[in-house]
Amino acid sequence: MPQPLPRHRTLVLSGSLRSGAVTTRIAHAAVAQDRPGHEVVLATGLDQLPLFNEDLDTDPAPPVVAALRAQVSSAGSLLVLSPVNNASISAALKNALDWLSRPRDDSPLAGKPATGLVVGYHSHGAEDHLDTILRATGARTTPAPTPVLSPRATNGDQVTTAVARALAALHTA
């Protein structure tokens, strides 16, 4: 009997909380690329996170924070998506990354392969902000072959190709 393929799990973090957002559609396009040997799942609970406050970062962590940290810990890699908001990443994503970067000595992001894609008509360097933040959290960044996606390309091959390349880079990281 053949042995099942080992599964690599990529967790997709979407920095948009709006269900109909372009970034959310791209996140679902990534999940649709789940295939044998590479599972792609969408993180949940970002919309429930309180604003990061070290007074709230207790042991045990608030349940929604603990759940997100567990999702990240169980993943082999992260695909991080963000709309471009005021020339940077979304506040929701930044807040999630702040929570995930704790505890400093045992962060679920430490050493985790991650790549980021930003979605906007003009990125204004948001892709560089995302990469800098991921590196600062201890994640091991893998550059995305296409780090900026135009909202106009959400129904075309550009998104499918960009996401497939990013997932392939993560799978081999």
Side-chain angles (χ1 to χ4, degrees):
M1 178 175 268
Q3 294 293 324
L5 289 172
R7 301 242 335 143
H8 178 93
R9 174 182 268 208
T10 296
L11 183 68
V12 180
L13 292 174
S14 174
S16 182
L17 303 180
R18 196 167 51 88
S19 62
V22 171
T23 305
T24 303
R25 289 197 310 253
I26 293 169
H28 288 290
V31 171
Q33 293 193 32
D34 183 89
R35 63 186 190 283
H38 194 167
E39 179 181 24
V40 183
V41 296
L42 183 60
T44 58
L46 273 69
D47 59 338
Q48 302 298 311
L49 291 172
L51 290 175
F52 180 75
N53 175 342
E54 282 189 285
D55 290 339
L56 300 177
D57 193 14
T58 57
D59 188 16
V64 68
V65 172
L68 182 60
R69 287 175 178 165
Q71 290 176 71
V72 172
S73 292
S74 72
S77 60
L78 299 174
L79 175 59
V80 184
L81 306 171
S82 181
V84 176
N85 291 149
N86 297 318
S88 191
I89 66 171
S90 72
L93 180 60
K94 178 63 169 77
N95 186 52
L97 293 171
D98 285 345
W99 279 111
L100 290 168
S101 69
R102 306 315 196 268
R104 287 204 182 274
D105 296 334
D106 193 27
S107 160
L109 294 174
K112 185 79 60 179
T115 195
L117 300 173
V118 298
V119 182
Y121 293 107
H122 304 285
S123 74
H124 301 287
E127 70 279 12
D128 295 328
H129 295 174
L130 180 54
D131 185 67
T132 297
I133 293 165
L134 287 170
R135 281 187 283 112
T137 66
R140 193 178 76 217
T141 60
T142 299
T146 309
V148 181
L149 297 173
S150 168
R152 291 187 181 115
T154 59
N155 295 322
D157 290 336
Q158 180 184 1
V159 167
T160 302
T161 300
V163 169
R165 287 180 180 163
L167 290 171
L170 286 170
H171 193 181
T172 59

